[in-house]
mmCIF file of all heavy atoms in Angstrom:
data_model
loop_
_atom_site.group_PDB
_atom_site.id
_atom_site.type_symbol
_atom_site.label_atom_id
_atom_site.label_comp_id
_atom_site.label_asym_id
_atom_site.label_seq_id
_atom_site.Cartn_x
_atom_site.Cartn_y
_atom_site.Cartn_z
ATOM 1 N N GLY V 166 0.818 -1.200 0.000
ATOM 2 C CA GLY V 166 0.000 0.000 0.000
ATOM 3 C C GLY V 166 0.857 1.258 0.000
ATOM 4 O O GLY V 166 2.024 1.235 -0.358
ATOM 5 N N CYS V 167 0.263 2.359 0.428
ATOM 6 C CA CYS V 167 0.936 3.650 0.436
ATOM 7 C C CYS V 167 1.014 4.204 1.851
ATOM 8 O O CYS V 167 0.251 3.797 2.721
ATOM 9 C CB CYS V 167 0.190 4.642 -0.450
ATOM 10 S SG CYS V 167 0.194 4.181 -2.191
ATOM 11 N N GLU V 168 1.919 5.159 2.039
ATOM 12 C CA GLU V 168 2.068 5.789 3.349
ATOM 13 C C GLU V 168 0.793 6.503 3.776
ATOM 14 O O GLU V 168 0.493 6.588 4.956
ATOM 15 C CB GLU V 168 3.212 6.797 3.325
ATOM 16 C CG GLU V 168 4.568 6.172 3.243
ATOM 17 C CD GLU V 168 5.657 7.211 3.187
ATOM 18 O OE1 GLU V 168 5.566 8.150 2.377
ATOM 19 O OE2 GLU V 168 6.608 7.075 3.974
ATOM 20 N N GLY V 169 0.079 7.034 2.813
ATOM 21 C CA GLY V 169 -1.137 7.762 3.156
ATOM 22 C C GLY V 169 -1.994 8.018 1.941
ATOM 23 O O GLY V 169 -1.678 7.624 0.818
ATOM 24 N N LYS V 170 -3.094 8.691 2.200
ATOM 25 C CA LYS V 170 -4.029 9.088 1.165
ATOM 26 C C LYS V 170 -4.388 10.539 1.430
ATOM 27 O O LYS V 170 -4.477 10.955 2.582
ATOM 28 C CB LYS V 170 -5.283 8.216 1.215
ATOM 29 C CG LYS V 170 -5.014 6.782 0.823
ATOM 30 C CD LYS V 170 -5.914 5.837 1.572
ATOM 31 C CE LYS V 170 -5.567 4.402 1.324
ATOM 32 N NZ LYS V 170 -4.213 4.028 1.634
ATOM 33 N N GLY V 171 -4.601 11.305 0.370
ATOM 34 C CA GLY V 171 -4.904 12.710 0.590
ATOM 35 C C GLY V 171 -5.209 13.436 -0.694
ATOM 36 O O GLY V 171 -5.588 12.832 -1.692
ATOM 37 N N TYR V 172 -5.012 14.757 -0.641
ATOM 38 C CA TYR V 172 -5.280 15.597 -1.803
ATOM 39 C C TYR V 172 -4.240 16.711 -1.874
ATOM 40 O O TYR V 172 -3.614 17.065 -0.875
ATOM 41 C CB TYR V 172 -6.685 16.209 -1.738
ATOM 42 C CG TYR V 172 -6.793 17.341 -0.741
ATOM 43 C CD1 TYR V 172 -6.631 18.661 -1.152
ATOM 44 C CD2 TYR V 172 -7.012 17.093 0.604
ATOM 45 C CE1 TYR V 172 -6.702 19.690 -0.240
ATOM 46 C CE2 TYR V 172 -7.087 18.116 1.518
ATOM 47 C CZ TYR V 172 -6.930 19.419 1.086
ATOM 48 O OH TYR V 172 -6.987 20.448 1.996
ATOM 49 N N SER V 173 -4.079 17.259 -3.054
ATOM 50 C CA SER V 173 -3.265 18.448 -3.283
ATOM 51 C C SER V 173 -3.982 19.322 -4.292
ATOM 52 O O SER V 173 -4.496 18.817 -5.292
ATOM 53 C CB SER V 173 -1.886 18.100 -3.841
ATOM 54 O OG SER V 173 -1.110 17.441 -2.891
ATOM 55 N N ILE V 174 -4.003 20.610 -4.021
ATOM 56 C CA ILE V 174 -4.529 21.585 -4.976
ATOM 57 C C ILE V 174 -3.336 22.401 -5.460
ATOM 58 O O ILE V 174 -2.618 22.997 -4.652
ATOM 59 C CB ILE V 174 -5.570 22.519 -4.337
ATOM 60 C CG1 ILE V 174 -6.754 21.713 -3.800
ATOM 61 C CG2 ILE V 174 -6.029 23.568 -5.353
ATOM 62 C CD1 ILE V 174 -7.754 22.546 -3.002
ATOM 63 N N VAL V 175 -3.117 22.398 -6.775
ATOM 64 C CA VAL V 175 -2.006 23.144 -7.360
ATOM 65 C C VAL V 175 -2.590 24.260 -8.222
ATOM 66 O O VAL V 175 -3.419 24.007 -9.103
ATOM 67 C CB VAL V 175 -1.090 22.221 -8.180
ATOM 68 C CG1 VAL V 175 0.007 23.008 -8.871
ATOM 69 C CG2 VAL V 175 -0.499 21.149 -7.271
ATOM 70 N N TRP V 176 -2.184 25.489 -7.943
ATOM 71 C CA TRP V 176 -2.660 26.667 -8.666
ATOM 72 C C TRP V 176 -1.441 27.457 -9.118
ATOM 73 O O TRP V 176 -0.617 27.844 -8.291
ATOM 74 C CB TRP V 176 -3.565 27.518 -7.770
ATOM 75 C CG TRP V 176 -4.183 28.662 -8.487
ATOM 76 C CD1 TRP V 176 -3.739 29.952 -8.519
ATOM 77 C CD2 TRP V 176 -5.363 28.638 -9.290
ATOM 78 N NE1 TRP V 176 -4.557 30.725 -9.296
ATOM 79 C CE2 TRP V 176 -5.571 29.937 -9.780
ATOM 80 C CE3 TRP V 176 -6.252 27.632 -9.644
ATOM 81 C CZ2 TRP V 176 -6.638 30.258 -10.603
ATOM 82 C CZ3 TRP V 176 -7.315 27.959 -10.466
ATOM 83 C CH2 TRP V 176 -7.506 29.253 -10.932
ATOM 84 N N ASN V 177 -1.321 27.680 -10.395
ATOM 85 C CA ASN V 177 -0.203 28.417 -10.983
ATOM 86 C C ASN V 177 1.145 27.799 -10.595
ATOM 87 O O ASN V 177 2.114 28.504 -10.317
ATOM 88 C CB ASN V 177 -0.259 29.900 -10.623
ATOM 89 C CG ASN V 177 0.590 30.732 -11.553
ATOM 90 O OD1 ASN V 177 0.861 30.333 -12.672
ATOM 91 N ND2 ASN V 177 1.022 31.890 -11.082
ATOM 92 N N GLY V 178 1.196 26.485 -10.518
ATOM 93 C CA GLY V 178 2.425 25.763 -10.244
ATOM 94 C C GLY V 178 2.793 25.635 -8.776
ATOM 95 O O GLY V 178 3.788 25.020 -8.440
ATOM 96 N N SER V 179 1.989 26.209 -7.876
ATOM 97 C CA SER V 179 2.270 26.134 -6.439
ATOM 98 C C SER V 179 1.184 25.344 -5.725
ATOM 99 O O SER V 179 -0.009 25.500 -6.037
ATOM 100 C CB SER V 179 2.326 27.538 -5.824
ATOM 101 O OG SER V 179 3.375 28.271 -6.384
ATOM 102 N N THR V 180 1.582 24.533 -4.770
ATOM 103 C CA THR V 180 0.604 23.809 -3.960
ATOM 104 C C THR V 180 -0.010 24.804 -2.984
ATOM 105 O O THR V 180 0.692 25.375 -2.155
ATOM 106 C CB THR V 180 1.269 22.649 -3.199
ATOM 107 O OG1 THR V 180 1.852 21.762 -4.150
ATOM 108 C CG2 THR V 180 0.251 21.899 -2.347
ATOM 109 N N VAL V 181 -1.318 25.026 -3.114
ATOM 110 C CA VAL V 181 -2.000 26.004 -2.256
ATOM 111 C C VAL V 181 -2.737 25.330 -1.102
ATOM 112 O O VAL V 181 -3.064 25.994 -0.120
ATOM 113 C CB VAL V 181 -2.962 26.905 -3.073
ATOM 114 C CG1 VAL V 181 -2.171 27.765 -4.057
ATOM 115 C CG2 VAL V 181 -4.007 26.081 -3.811
ATOM 116 N N ALA V 182 -2.997 24.050 -1.214
ATOM 117 C CA ALA V 182 -3.624 23.291 -0.120
ATOM 118 C C ALA V 182 -3.292 21.820 -0.326
ATOM 119 O O ALA V 182 -3.296 21.326 -1.447
ATOM 120 C CB ALA V 182 -5.131 23.498 -0.095
ATOM 121 N N SER V 183 -3.002 21.138 0.769
ATOM 122 C CA SER V 183 -2.657 19.723 0.687
ATOM 123 C C SER V 183 -2.822 19.102 2.065
ATOM 124 O O SER V 183 -2.545 19.754 3.078
ATOM 125 C CB SER V 183 -1.211 19.563 0.214
ATOM 126 O OG SER V 183 -0.885 18.209 0.076
ATOM 127 N N LYS V 184 -3.269 17.872 2.098
ATOM 128 C CA LYS V 184 -3.376 17.150 3.364
ATOM 129 C C LYS V 184 -3.256 15.664 3.077
ATOM 130 O O LYS V 184 -3.772 15.179 2.075
ATOM 131 C CB LYS V 184 -4.690 17.436 4.052
ATOM 132 C CG LYS V 184 -4.808 16.720 5.390
ATOM 133 C CD LYS V 184 -5.866 17.313 6.253
ATOM 134 C CE LYS V 184 -5.983 16.518 7.529
ATOM 135 N NZ LYS V 184 -5.360 17.143 8.652
ATOM 136 N N MET V 185 -2.554 14.959 3.963
ATOM 137 C CA MET V 185 -2.424 13.518 3.844
ATOM 138 C C MET V 185 -2.841 12.890 5.157
ATOM 139 O O MET V 185 -2.452 13.351 6.222
ATOM 140 C CB MET V 185 -0.973 13.128 3.528
ATOM 141 C CG MET V 185 -0.788 11.627 3.352
ATOM 142 S SD MET V 185 0.858 11.155 2.788
ATOM 143 C CE MET V 185 1.727 11.061 4.339
ATOM 144 N N TRP V 186 -3.661 11.843 5.071
ATOM 145 C CA TRP V 186 -4.075 11.076 6.238
ATOM 146 C C TRP V 186 -3.346 9.742 6.203
ATOM 147 O O TRP V 186 -3.193 9.139 5.143
ATOM 148 C CB TRP V 186 -5.583 10.842 6.235
ATOM 149 C CG TRP V 186 -6.383 12.077 6.427
ATOM 150 C CD1 TRP V 186 -6.766 12.634 7.620
ATOM 151 C CD2 TRP V 186 -6.934 12.924 5.410
ATOM 152 N NE1 TRP V 186 -7.514 13.770 7.397
ATOM 153 C CE2 TRP V 186 -7.636 13.981 6.052
ATOM 154 C CE3 TRP V 186 -6.905 12.919 4.015
ATOM 155 C CZ2 TRP V 186 -8.285 14.983 5.359
ATOM 156 C CZ3 TRP V 186 -7.549 13.917 3.324
ATOM 157 C CH2 TRP V 186 -8.228 14.927 4.000
ATOM 158 N N THR V 187 -2.900 9.274 7.355
ATOM 159 C CA THR V 187 -2.208 7.991 7.425
ATOM 160 C C THR V 187 -3.060 6.988 8.192
ATOM 161 O O THR V 187 -4.018 7.360 8.861
ATOM 162 C CB THR V 187 -0.833 8.131 8.110
ATOM 163 O OG1 THR V 187 -1.029 8.637 9.425
ATOM 164 C CG2 THR V 187 0.071 9.055 7.327
ATOM 165 N N GLY V 188 -2.678 5.727 8.097
ATOM 166 C CA GLY V 188 -3.435 4.679 8.760
ATOM 167 C C GLY V 188 -4.594 4.229 7.894
ATOM 168 O O GLY V 188 -4.807 4.706 6.782
ATOM 169 N N TYR V 189 -5.361 3.284 8.419
ATOM 170 C CA TYR V 189 -6.489 2.749 7.664
ATOM 171 C C TYR V 189 -7.584 3.802 7.530
ATOM 172 O O TYR V 189 -7.955 4.457 8.496
ATOM 173 C CB TYR V 189 -7.077 1.508 8.336
ATOM 174 C CG TYR V 189 -8.316 1.028 7.613
ATOM 175 C CD1 TYR V 189 -8.200 0.287 6.440
ATOM 176 C CD2 TYR V 189 -9.583 1.366 8.072
ATOM 177 C CE1 TYR V 189 -9.326 -0.120 5.748
ATOM 178 C CE2 TYR V 189 -10.711 0.965 7.382
ATOM 179 C CZ TYR V 189 -10.579 0.224 6.220
ATOM 180 O OH TYR V 189 -11.695 -0.169 5.533
ATOM 181 N N ILE V 190 -8.076 3.969 6.324
ATOM 182 C CA ILE V 190 -9.200 4.878 6.058
ATOM 183 C C ILE V 190 -10.147 4.171 5.106
ATOM 184 O O ILE V 190 -9.737 3.716 4.036
ATOM 185 C CB ILE V 190 -8.740 6.194 5.415
ATOM 186 C CG1 ILE V 190 -7.731 6.929 6.300
ATOM 187 C CG2 ILE V 190 -9.939 7.100 5.129
ATOM 188 C CD1 ILE V 190 -7.110 8.140 5.649
ATOM 189 N N ASP V 191 -11.402 4.083 5.479
ATOM 190 C CA ASP V 191 -12.436 3.557 4.606
ATOM 191 C C ASP V 191 -12.593 4.519 3.424
ATOM 192 O O ASP V 191 -12.521 5.742 3.581
ATOM 193 C CB ASP V 191 -13.748 3.456 5.406
ATOM 194 C CG ASP V 191 -14.891 3.006 4.547
ATOM 195 O OD1 ASP V 191 -14.963 1.807 4.236
ATOM 196 O OD2 ASP V 191 -15.711 3.876 4.178
ATOM 197 N N ARG V 192 -12.803 3.976 2.243
ATOM 198 C CA ARG V 192 -12.906 4.810 1.036
ATOM 199 C C ARG V 192 -13.992 5.881 1.157
ATOM 200 O O ARG V 192 -13.786 7.039 0.791
ATOM 201 C CB ARG V 192 -13.164 3.922 -0.182
ATOM 202 C CG ARG V 192 -13.126 4.668 -1.490
ATOM 203 C CD ARG V 192 -13.333 3.736 -2.667
ATOM 204 N NE ARG V 192 -12.260 2.799 -2.845
ATOM 205 C CZ ARG V 192 -11.157 3.048 -3.559
ATOM 206 N NH1 ARG V 192 -11.009 4.204 -4.144
ATOM 207 N NH2 ARG V 192 -10.224 2.141 -3.684
ATOM 208 N N THR V 193 -15.154 5.516 1.665
ATOM 209 C CA THR V 193 -16.247 6.482 1.817
ATOM 210 C C THR V 193 -15.865 7.590 2.785
ATOM 211 O O THR V 193 -16.095 8.778 2.507
ATOM 212 C CB THR V 193 -17.523 5.767 2.303
ATOM 213 O OG1 THR V 193 -17.849 4.735 1.365
ATOM 214 C CG2 THR V 193 -18.687 6.733 2.412
ATOM 215 N N ASP V 194 -15.266 7.236 3.917
ATOM 216 C CA ASP V 194 -14.822 8.241 4.888
ATOM 217 C C ASP V 194 -13.745 9.139 4.295
ATOM 218 O O ASP V 194 -13.732 10.350 4.521
ATOM 219 C CB ASP V 194 -14.290 7.575 6.156
ATOM 220 C CG ASP V 194 -15.368 6.853 6.937
ATOM 221 O OD1 ASP V 194 -16.564 7.163 6.731
ATOM 222 O OD2 ASP V 194 -15.019 5.975 7.747
ATOM 223 N N PHE V 195 -12.839 8.537 3.535
ATOM 224 C CA PHE V 195 -11.760 9.313 2.922
ATOM 225 C C PHE V 195 -12.320 10.389 2.003
ATOM 226 O O PHE V 195 -11.951 11.561 2.103
ATOM 227 C CB PHE V 195 -10.811 8.384 2.144
ATOM 228 C CG PHE V 195 -9.839 9.113 1.268
ATOM 229 C CD1 PHE V 195 -8.826 9.880 1.828
ATOM 230 C CD2 PHE V 195 -9.922 9.041 -0.109
ATOM 231 C CE1 PHE V 195 -7.925 10.562 1.028
ATOM 232 C CE2 PHE V 195 -9.028 9.710 -0.913
ATOM 233 C CZ PHE V 195 -8.030 10.466 -0.349
ATOM 234 N N TYR V 196 -13.218 10.016 1.107
ATOM 235 C CA TYR V 196 -13.753 11.004 0.173
ATOM 236 C C TYR V 196 -14.604 12.052 0.889
ATOM 237 O O TYR V 196 -14.626 13.210 0.470
ATOM 238 C CB TYR V 196 -14.501 10.327 -0.982
ATOM 239 C CG TYR V 196 -13.531 9.755 -1.984
ATOM 240 C CD1 TYR V 196 -13.268 8.398 -2.033
ATOM 241 C CD2 TYR V 196 -12.823 10.581 -2.844
ATOM 242 C CE1 TYR V 196 -12.356 7.871 -2.919
ATOM 243 C CE2 TYR V 196 -11.898 10.074 -3.740
ATOM 244 C CZ TYR V 196 -11.672 8.717 -3.772
ATOM 245 O OH TYR V 196 -10.749 8.209 -4.650
ATOM 246 N N SER V 197 -15.258 11.696 1.972
ATOM 247 C CA SER V 197 -15.988 12.690 2.764
ATOM 248 C C SER V 197 -15.027 13.709 3.374
ATOM 249 O O SER V 197 -15.295 14.916 3.365
ATOM 250 C CB SER V 197 -16.790 12.015 3.877
ATOM 251 O OG SER V 197 -17.818 11.239 3.339
ATOM 252 N N MET V 198 -13.888 13.236 3.901
ATOM 253 C CA MET V 198 -12.893 14.136 4.491
ATOM 254 C C MET V 198 -12.265 15.028 3.422
ATOM 255 O O MET V 198 -12.071 16.231 3.641
ATOM 256 C CB MET V 198 -11.811 13.336 5.221
ATOM 257 C CG MET V 198 -12.319 12.632 6.456
ATOM 258 S SD MET V 198 -11.055 11.811 7.444
ATOM 259 C CE MET V 198 -10.335 10.661 6.302
ATOM 260 N N VAL V 199 -11.946 14.458 2.264
ATOM 261 C CA VAL V 199 -11.353 15.239 1.179
ATOM 262 C C VAL V 199 -12.327 16.311 0.696
ATOM 263 O O VAL V 199 -11.962 17.478 0.533
ATOM 264 C CB VAL V 199 -10.926 14.335 0.002
ATOM 265 C CG1 VAL V 199 -10.617 15.146 -1.244
ATOM 266 C CG2 VAL V 199 -9.734 13.490 0.396
ATOM 267 N N ASN V 200 -13.579 15.933 0.469
ATOM 268 C CA ASN V 200 -14.559 16.902 -0.012
ATOM 269 C C ASN V 200 -14.769 18.031 0.992
ATOM 270 O O ASN V 200 -14.858 19.201 0.610
ATOM 271 C CB ASN V 200 -15.873 16.211 -0.346
ATOM 272 C CG ASN V 200 -15.759 15.354 -1.585
ATOM 273 O OD1 ASN V 200 -14.924 15.603 -2.449
ATOM 274 N ND2 ASN V 200 -16.573 14.329 -1.679
ATOM 275 N N ALA V 201 -14.825 17.721 2.267
ATOM 276 C CA ALA V 201 -14.970 18.764 3.300
ATOM 277 C C ALA V 201 -13.758 19.683 3.300
ATOM 278 O O ALA V 201 -13.899 20.917 3.405
ATOM 279 C CB ALA V 201 -15.165 18.128 4.670
ATOM 280 N N ALA V 202 -12.561 19.119 3.186
ATOM 281 C CA ALA V 202 -11.343 19.932 3.188
ATOM 282 C C ALA V 202 -11.285 20.842 1.963
ATOM 283 O O ALA V 202 -10.957 22.026 2.071
ATOM 284 C CB ALA V 202 -10.116 19.030 3.249
#
């Protein structure tokens, strides 16, 4: 697997927001957390 799961928003070549969660995450919970963030 991977160290974590998360998201990155890149605007004009710079990361303006990013978060990674580690440990077990249910797919449904993960997408709920990403969408809220």
Side-chain angles (χ1 to χ4, degrees):
C167 295
E168 289 179 311
K170 292 148 187 57
Y172 75 94
S173 291
I174 300 173
V175 176
W176 185 264
N177 198 24
S179 297
T180 300
V181 295
S183 183
K184 181 162 177 102
M185 182 173 86
W186 293 272
T187 59
Y189 175 79
I190 301 173
D191 176 76
R192 187 178 294 273
T193 303
D194 293 340
F195 169 68
Y196 283 103
S197 293
M198 292 186 301
V199 167
N200 289 334

